[in-house]
Amino acid sequence: MTLNDILAKNRESIINRWFDLIVDSYPQNTADFIKSEKNRFANPVGWTIKKGIEDIFEGIIQNKSDAQFFPILDDIIKIRAVQEFTPSEAISFIFLLKQAMCEKIAIENTELFAIESKIDTLASISLDIFMECREKIKQLKTNEGKK
Amino acid sequence: MAKEPKPQEIISQINYKPPQKAWMDIPVEIKEGMFCYGAKEKSLQTLDFPNARAWSVLDEDWKLPEKWDKIVLEGMAERLKKYRSFKIFMDICVRCGACADKCHFFLGSGDPKNMPVLRAELLRSIYRKNFTAAGKILGKLGGGRKLTIDVLKEWWYYFYQCSECRRCSVFCPYGIDTAEITMIARELLNLLGLNIEWIAGPAANCYMKGNHLGLEPHTIKNSIDFLVDEIEEKTGVRVSPTFNRKGAEILFVTPSGDLFADPGTYTCMGYLMLFHELGLDYTWSTYASEGGNFGFFTSMELAKRLNTKLYSEAKRLGVKWILGGECGHMWRVINQYMDTFNGPADFLEVPTSPITGTEFTNAKSTKMTHISEFTADLIKHKKLNLDPKRNDHLKVTFHDSCNVARGMGMFEEPRYVIKSVCNNFYEMPENTIREKTFCCGSGSGLNASENMELRLRGGLPRANAVKHVQEQYGVNMLACICAIDRAALPPLMNYWVPGVDVTGVTELVANALVMKGEKERTTNLRGEDLSWIEDEESKSTDETQIRV
């Protein structure tokens, strides 16, 4: 069984664990809400994160190109860029996938290297997006000032 | 040599869980991007508000008056006596949490103190400690706490993170109007000179000059003259508005933002075109030239003062009734508070459309009618020659402005108008519109630039619903009937949903309006090319010929 097969088989448990790890970085009351409310419009943060990490996970299994991850990461990071996270905190959600995987499946070291490289790449892209978002917020402030 | 740890070993040492503390034990941390600058000395002096001084929010010392806590508690006692609603709202909340996840600021920020119940608790805890037996005796155990400088700063920080949109109130089983709790909290803060400049400045300008920007009469006239030229260029029709004309039948009042800031200017051009086409006997006032009322975000007393100006001007000019433009909180003030402030406006007549004869009995006491009601009535009676095809390049959705929706109960009229002038209209999901509409995130005087992060957070739930209809139907235009929306939604869309623009409803009407004597419209009011209409028409003619 290849690593991708193992990941696909454990998709749900890994994603759910990954989701919980991300959401637990919010205060307890908030985390409880984000985890429990399933309606997309009543819980935009939770829904965007859940949908986003599902797509990222799928993308990793299907070995999608880096560019294909961009819009998915963009949706999540746009939110984190307005939520008082430092750059490292904002992108930390990507690394939590490693923890979720380690907890849920047993992987050989050689296989782990490949998947970790992918995760690290996604984190780098995330950082770029985060900086673009912050730049855009500054631009919006300047534009407002001109009015 | 130390053993090199494996990645998972490092990760397992990182604790992502935030510390668990009771909310009272988490001190307020004032963060950049989340607050508006403090009110300036000059603005407070103009309004004759207390403790006018130069101060900075980020300074430790807020230069409060001596015995500031006594002033606040006395102010609270006075309001508990004066407003029975306030007393009830302080007493009856059972903290069921129905409101907790309904606030756009909570949904966007995840900060528990943005939960309406907890935001109200910031004030309620002081009420309990000082005005209830249980709180006095049990203190923290009874849900009470002492009024300290940190508590005061926390009030200031969070009550200026509430846009008074009232979405939470829709879900409260007891009907607690959380917006009114914020209003009272802001009144108390204003006893110490703790307003924000984005509110105090416009309120002072409005008090002195009649509009938020402090535009002088000649500037207002110049701005409108400029729009008149623009209309002539686009339509070939020269409209001729009048100013401060005594004896006109109708006084028209709209937010001053529409006179100079895009996209509000296009809506303003729409008013001018519509009224010209109808031959309406109306006038603008250069003195009561503001539909908005930032006094409403400060104190009931100041709201009343500014509202009085509007009605005094109507009286001075001798008009029969007032027609109001697309504004948000202007309508909550008129619908919910004006009658108590200054009503009934007996010197005016019940608004009656001179075109259709419809009497707007819903405005029997205030004598002020909404432009969307007025326009919907015209369309219903087929009094307008409309060509919706001109808006065919648009896929429109409608954002219910909080104040008009929840503060006035108007849902159908703007939709009826939009559907009459646009062929492509798509609703956002049910739990994001009408009485459950999500705020733009910038209402109640929070549409400054320095608090952009706050605005973007607060606007996330609204933008999230727009994104959905963009993905689903290709929506590219967000219509609204509020000037703050027209100012606040463009940056919100720019950030969250690029590709969606913002328009007033009357702009859509004006673009579809076929005016008597107009030239062929080659562009819409924004100057965007309309030649595609001809192409499509000739295409459909060709198709018909082929079929024949």
Side-chain angles (χ1 to χ4, degrees):
Chain A
M1 200 181 259
T2 66
L3 177 59
N4 277 358
D5 293 337
I6 298 169
L7 288 175
K9 204 178 151 202
N10 293 281
R11 177 190 283 116
E12 205 178 325
S13 67
I14 295 173
I15 289 174
N16 286 344
R17 180 63 186 143
W18 187 14
F19 181 69
D20 285 352
L21 287 168
I22 296 169
V23 174
D24 282 342
S25 62
Y26 288 94
Q28 179 78 55
N29 291 343
T30 309
D32 292 346
F33 162 73
I34 292 178
K35 286 179 193 173
S36 62
E37 175 59 62
K38 306 290 180 212
N39 183 284
R40 164 180 185 175
F41 305 105
N43 180 11
V45 172
W47 189 87
T48 305
I49 293 174
K50 191 72 190 281
K51 173 86 173 56
I53 63 174
E54 281 171 1
D55 291 348
I56 292 169
F57 193 82
E58 212 54 49
I60 289 174
I61 291 176
Q62 292 171 13
N63 205 18
K64 284 187 176 168
S65 70
D66 293 348
Q68 287 172 291
F69 286 92
F70 190 91
I72 312 167
L73 291 167
D74 191 52
D75 283 348
I76 297 178
I77 292 162
K78 260 183 188 167
I79 292 176
R80 297 177 80 80
V82 298
Q83 285 191 331
E84 295 176 17
F85 290 111
T86 62
S88 60
E89 285 168 345
I91 65 159
S92 66
F93 76 97
I94 287 290
F95 295 120
L96 290 172
L97 173 58
K98 294 184 185 182
Q99 187 178 339
M101 279 168 34
C102 290
E103 284 179 20
K104 295 292 170 188
I105 53 174
I107 313 172
E108 293 298 319
N109 272 350
T110 47
E111 292 176 316
L112 191 63
F113 180 76
I115 202 122
E116 281 196 332
S117 297
K118 188 71 182 177
I119 291 171
D120 294 344
T121 308
L122 294 183
S124 308
I125 299 171
S126 298
L127 192 58
D128 289 344
I129 297 173
F130 180 84
M131 296 319 288
E132 274 174 32
C133 287
R134 293 303 308 169
E135 198 54 46
K136 189 158 189 180
I137 293 167
K138 274 190 195 147
Q139 195 60 48
L140 291 173
K141 284 185 182 185
T142 313
N143 292 348
E144 291 283 279
K146 282 183 197 159
K147 278 186 186 172
Chain B
M1 194 179 150
K3 183 178 160 262
E4 194 180 325
K6 289 181 177 171
Q8 56 265 55
E9 285 171 0
I10 297 172
I11 288 169
S12 67
Q13 288 162 17
I14 301 172
N15 183 8
Y16 290 96
K17 285 246 180 201
Q20 295 298 306
K21 273 186 180 175
W23 69 267
M24 279 192 205
D25 299 327
I26 302 171
V28 63
E29 193 186 337
I30 293 178
K31 292 177 182 166
E32 295 265 14
M34 297 301 295
F35 64 87
C36 299
Y37 300 140
K40 286 180 183 165
E41 190 174 7
K42 199 177 145 208
S43 304
L44 294 184
Q45 276 168 351
T46 302
L47 294 168
D48 200 22
F49 266 55
N51 202 27
R53 79 277 179 227
W55 68 295
S56 168
V57 177
L58 293 174
D59 286 350
E60 189 64 28
D61 180 9
W62 280 12
K63 299 181 185 170
L64 299 175
E66 268 185 59
K67 295 185 181 165
W68 62 267
D69 46 351
K70 191 166 172 268
I71 296 172
V72 171
L73 293 175
E74 282 175 3
M76 208 164 174
E78 184 194 328
R79 282 158 186 80
L80 285 165
K81 205 173 153 193
K82 195 168 156 189
Y83 303 117
R84 191 167 148 70
S85 53
F86 178 44
K87 173 99 173 58
I88 290 171
F89 296 161
M90 287 293 99
D91 282 329
I92 62 169
C93 174
V94 293
R95 286 176 272 183
C96 69
C99 64
D101 54 5
K102 307 303 185 294
C103 172
H104 51 291
F105 284 118
F106 170 68
L107 294 179
S109 70
D111 182 346
K113 286 183 185 172
N114 281 140
M115 291 177 175
V117 57
L118 193 39
R119 197 187 289 112
E121 206 68 12
L122 303 178
L123 190 66
R124 219 174 253 131
S125 53
I126 301 305
Y127 164 74
R128 286 203 197 94
K129 173 76 182 163
N130 293 280
F131 299 94
T132 68
K136 278 179 190 168
I137 298 164
L138 297 171
K140 214 170 170 180
L141 279 175
R145 62 173 174 166
K146 198 171 177 290
L147 180 58
T148 64
I149 188 73
D150 286 340
V151 169
L152 188 76
K153 289 188 175 183
E154 192 177 44
W155 278 11
W156 187 87
Y157 193 55
Y158 285 103
F159 285 114
Y160 286 104
Q161 283 183 38
C162 165
S163 53
E164 302 182 2
C165 82
R166 278 174 93 216
R167 187 171 192 269
C168 50
S169 304
V170 171
F171 298 88
C172 175
Y174 288 91
I176 295 174
D177 187 338
T178 317
E180 289 201 352
I181 295 178
T182 295
M183 288 176 202
I184 297 289
R186 288 190 183 183
E187 279 202 20
L188 297 173
L189 289 163
N190 267 283
L191 297 175
L192 306 175
L194 293 176
N195 203 340
I196 59 172
E197 180 55 18
W198 198 257
I199 293 174
N205 282 333
C206 207
Y207 187 50
M208 294 305 288
K209 305 277 172 65
N211 57 72
H212 289 163
L213 275 157
L215 304 175
E216 304 278 354
H218 61 278
T219 315
I220 291 173
K221 187 173 179 304
N222 280 349
S223 298
I224 293 180
D225 283 347
F226 173 77
L227 299 180
V228 168
D229 291 342
E230 285 284 301
I231 291 169
E232 187 173 18
E233 194 190 310
K234 306 278 163 38
T235 68
V237 177
R238 183 86 188 164
V239 304
S240 43
T242 62
F243 300 87
N244 308 322
R245 180 165 59 86
K246 288 190 175 179
E249 184 181 352
I250 299 163
L251 168 64
F252 179 65
V253 181
T254 200
S256 62
D258 285 346
L259 301 184
F260 63 90
D262 296 343
T265 46
Y266 308 119
T267 298
C268 197
M269 285 157 77
Y271 301 141
L272 290 160
M273 289 162 63
L274 179 66
F275 302 156
H276 174 87
E277 184 62 15
L278 297 170
L280 207 64
D281 178 14
Y282 83 107
T283 189
W284 295 77
S285 168
T286 59
Y287 302 108
S289 45
E290 181 60 67
N293 184 334
F294 275 32
F296 183 57
F297 308 140
T298 305
S299 72
M300 288 297 171
E301 182 274 327
L302 185 56
K304 178 180 174 169
R305 254 197 272 171
L306 299 184
N307 179 258
T308 306
K309 294 190 77 165
L310 203 68
Y311 281 85
S312 302
E313 180 66 342
K315 196 171 197 174
R316 186 184 76 87
L317 294 175
V319 299
K320 288 184 181 168
W321 57 280
I322 306 171
L323 180 60
E326 296 182 16
C327 181
H329 67 277
M330 165 167 91
W331 290 105
R332 172 133 55 120
V333 172
I334 297 298
N335 194 55
Q336 288 193 292
Y337 301 98
M338 179 274 160
D339 232 15
T340 315
F341 289 161
N342 294 312
D346 283 341
F347 57 92
L348 296 172
E349 294 177 15
V350 178
T352 305
S353 170
I355 316 299
T356 66
T358 300
E359 199 179 56
F360 295 97
T361 48
N362 57 327
K364 213 168 192 172
S365 190
T366 62
K367 314 290 197 292
M368 187 159 170
T369 289
H370 193 289
I371 185 74
S372 288
E373 292 175 316
F374 182 72
T375 310
D377 176 63
L378 292 168
I379 295 172
K380 184 92 182 161
H381 287 88
K382 303 188 176 5
K383 297 294 182 188
L384 298 179
N385 186 4
L386 299 167
D387 182 4
K389 186 167 76 253
R390 290 178 184 167
N391 285 322
D392 270 358
H393 58 304
L394 302 178
K395 291 189 173 172
V396 183
T397 191
F398 178 64
H399 161 69
D400 290 89
S401 309
C402 308
N403 286 298
V404 180
R406 283 187 286 267
M408 194 182 176
M410 190 167 81
F411 306 117
E412 300 307 330
E413 287 84 347
R415 287 180 166 79
Y416 178 74
V417 174
I418 294 171
K419 286 178 197 167
S420 304
V421 298
C422 297
N423 289 319
N424 310 310
F425 175 71
Y426 303 91
E427 287 280 18
M428 284 183 272
E430 176 276 331
N431 55 346
T432 71
I433 55 170
R434 298 177 186 263
E435 73 276 13
K436 293 179 199 156
T437 185
F438 275 117
C439 178
C440 63
S442 302
S444 82
L446 301 182
N447 55 323
S449 54
E450 63 267 22
N451 62 336
M452 185 56 78
E453 283 87 343
L454 174 75
R455 291 174 51 190
L456 291 174
R457 285 176 184 195
L460 168 61
R462 166 45 73 227
N464 181 51
V466 177
K467 190 167 192 280
H468 172 71
V469 286
Q470 184 196 41
E471 289 165 355
Q472 203 82 9
Y473 310 111
V475 161
N476 56 10
M477 188 57 89
L478 178 59
C480 61
I481 45 171
C482 166
I484 288 183
D485 283 337
R486 279 189 287 280
L489 291 173
L492 196 68
M493 292 300 108
N494 189 344
Y495 185 77
W496 294 113
V497 205
V500 175
D501 219 331
V502 177
T503 181
V505 169
T506 307
E507 180 189 340
L508 297 172
V509 173
N511 277 325
L513 185 68
V514 181
M515 299 176 78
K516 290 182 276 291
E518 72 175 20
K519 65 175 188 183
E520 190 193 347
R521 300 257 193 114
T522 52
T523 71
N524 60 17
L525 292 179
R526 297 187 183 201
E528 294 160 350
D529 182 41
L530 289 180
S531 58
W532 53 266
I533 295 180
E534 252 179 45
D535 298 343
E536 284 195 2
E537 273 172 357
S538 61
K539 209 162 70 186
S540 71
T541 315
D542 290 348
E543 280 170 10
T544 317
Q545 282 168 349
I546 290 165
R547 255 183 255 131
V548 168

